Amino acid sequence: MIAAWCWELIEPYLRRNLGNRGVERPTRKQVLEEFLRVWPEFTATIGVQEPFAGTIRFKWLARLPSAEMEPFLADPAGWIGERYGGGKYKMNLHHGLHWVNTKNFRPDGEPKWRDAPALSLE
């Protein structure tokens, strides 16, 4: 089962995929089948806004494959806050190399992320 907030981010992507394959008005069943087909290749990348040279940049902290997302999806702000503390976070969803959607989170607390190593995106 996927969290409702995440389904809202993914469903438009699924419908576009089906439309690109000629399914103009997909049924609920077709959308769910498409979800099952692509979900194993999904990742969530989590970054925090970090002040940098008078602006901001994102310090990327974690990349979760779909098989490891359940605790994050159940309570994203709690999951982030427990590991990285407070701050302004962005979560990007990808299907393989395709960007799917993004969502922002702002858990309270001390910014533990400052001492966390940055994720290597290479």
Side-chain angles (χ1 to χ4, degrees), residues 9 12 15 25 32 44 47 51 61 69 74 77-78 82 94 109 117 120-121:
L9 299 175
R15 290 184 178 279
R25 293 179 183 223
L32 291 173
L61 300 167
M69 276 191 226
E82 180 181 310
H94 288 90
S120 173
L121 296 177

Side-chain angles (χ1 to χ4, degrees), residues 30-61:
Q30 288 171 311
V31 173
L32 291 173
E33 287 170 346
E34 180 67 0
F35 171 75
L36 292 174
R37 184 183 78 78
V38 300
W39 181 246
E41 299 169 7
F42 263 64
T43 58
T45 307
I46 300 162
V48 64
Q49 285 186 13
E50 177 179 47
F52 179 76
T55 185
I56 63 150
R57 66 180 175 187
F58 281 93
K59 178 179 181 179
W60 298 104
L61 300 167

Side-chain angles (χ1 to χ4, degrees), residues 1-21:
M1 199 73 191
I2 190 162
W5 69 266
C6 190
W7 179 258
E8 291 174 6
L9 299 175
I10 294 171
E11 187 175 16
Y13 176 77
L14 301 173
R15 290 184 178 279
R16 276 192 310 274
N17 276 358
L18 291 165
N20 290 339
R21 294 201 322 259

